[in-house]
Amino acid sequence: MVLTFWARQHSPELEEDVDDAIFSEDHPLIEATIRVGEPDMSALRSYGRMIYRAKRP
């Protein structure tokens, strides 16, 4: 399983949050990726879906 996290900027705090979200840095079944910028909704595959999106400030 791949979890993709989109953020406005990459930071050490974001990496900690991602680690917390997958419960372990070395979980064998979950791969996490961090992308910076706006999510590209057209890039979601048939099995992909957005589960949370923060409102713009």
Side-chain angles (χ1 to χ4, degrees), residues 34-53:
I34 298 173
R35 300 199 181 196
V36 176
E38 287 291 317
D40 179 3
M41 300 306 288
S42 67
L44 289 177
R45 295 178 178 88
S46 61
Y47 54 84
R49 70 193 75 177
M50 183 175 294
I51 58 171
Y52 174 80
R53 184 171 183 176

Side-chain angles (χ1 to χ4, degrees), residues 5-10 14 34-38:
F5 295 82
W6 289 87
R8 289 189 179 94
Q9 65 183 35
H10 198 116
L14 174 61
I34 298 173
R35 300 199 181 196
V36 176
E38 287 291 317

Side-chain angles (χ1 to χ4, degrees):
M1 176 189 320
V2 177
L3 293 177
T4 303
F5 295 82
W6 289 87
R8 289 189 179 94
Q9 65 183 35
H10 198 116
S11 69
E13 293 83 10
L14 174 61
E15 290 197 20
E16 289 178 21
D17 289 345
V18 169
D19 289 342
D20 290 346
I22 62 172
F23 307 113
S24 169
E25 294 177 4
D26 299 317
H27 195 289
L29 299 177
I30 300 174
E31 177 184 338
T33 61
I34 298 173
R35 300 199 181 196
V36 176
E38 287 291 317
D40 179 3
M41 300 306 288
S42 67
L44 289 177
R45 295 178 178 88
S46 61
Y47 54 84
R49 70 193 75 177
M50 183 175 294
I51 58 171
Y52 174 80
R53 184 171 183 176
K55 293 181 180 179
R56 290 185 150 175

